[in-house]
Amino acid sequence: MFRITGLFTAFVLLAGASLSPASAEDKTITVFAAASMKNALDEIDAAYTAKTGVKFSVSYAASSVLAKQIEQGAPADVFVSADTDWMDYAVSKKTINEPSRVNLLGNSIVLIAPKDSKIDNVTIAQGFDLAKLAGDGRIATGDVKSVPVGKYAKAALEKLGAWQAAEPKFAMAESVRAALTLVARGEANLGIVYSTDAKVEPGVKIVGTFPADSHPAIIYPVAATTTAKGETNDYLAFLRSTAAKTILEKYGFKFLISPTT
């Protein structure tokens, strides 16, 4: 009888040991976030980990890519999109817990050039000649058919009457950060990115800002997925907090809601 009890005790100890890694793994939140969120969100996640012990697995890419990966079954708990269109798409595919959705952030788009460029102080208004400004060089932005920053850029240029002439000079990148890199390396004379991206890249400078009324409002919605872990709700609450607001505004994002304490 003693031996059976001992074997049973050993089994329980082994079973407990085998469960420990799984329990630890459950304390990881997987976030799919727009590429432009990287610097700010990395800092927010570090603050949340310090507070709660919860760790993060984060994938940064164009919102279009992330929405389709979630649709195809990628294991994400949170989706942060750089526009409402791709969040709407995810909702239509029933991969988003719609009641958890909030339009959290705003941003702006700017014209950038390599840090040592002679181009400076560009007035972006009706009729400005972007094609002439680029000269023989390229203009980098996200793919205008799918990547949010590219869609905003094309909308603005169309409204300002600059798209048709400039279109042949565009180098379409897979994400806003890829476009940013092209300009920082001098592989493009100009680029259109979010102001928040330009601020974290020392290899570029902002030479002009697009009028807010030249393109649809830039809105970043955030939501839990339909397969999100239980602890995701607390993390989403943290994203709405004063602490998160302070970090996000430091990077240049506009906080669109009243923060919680």
Side-chain angles (χ1 to χ4, degrees), residues 4 11 14 30 43 53 86 91-94 113 125 138 150 153 181 224 236 238 240 244 251 254:
I4 293 173
F11 173 76
L14 286 170
T30 301
E43 187 170 332
W86 284 111
V91 168
S92 75
K93 299 301 179 180
K94 304 191 185 303
R138 307 290 281 169
T181 298
L236 290 178
F238 185 72
R240 300 191 295 268
Y251 284 93
K254 300 168 188 172

Side-chain angles (χ1 to χ4, degrees), residues 230-241:
E231 51 264 34
T232 300
N233 288 336
D234 186 64
Y235 173 63
L236 290 178
F238 185 72
L239 289 180
R240 300 191 295 268
S241 70

Side-chain angles (χ1 to χ4, degrees), residues 4-5 25 38 53 63 65 69 81 90 110 150 153 162 182 204 210 213 218 221 223-224 229 235-236 239 247 257-258:
I4 293 173
T5 303
E25 190 177 327
K38 179 170 172 46
S63 303
V65 170
Q69 287 178 346
S81 175
V110 295
L182 288 174
V204 307
F210 284 84
D213 63 359
I218 299 173
K229 300 185 188 77
Y235 173 63
L236 290 178
L239 289 180
I247 294 170
I257 62 170
S258 297

Side-chain angles (χ1 to χ4, degrees), residues 162-176:
W163 172 250
Q164 189 171 353
E167 182 182 7
K169 297 178 181 287
F170 268 88
M172 306 297 181
E174 63 184 11
S175 72
V176 67

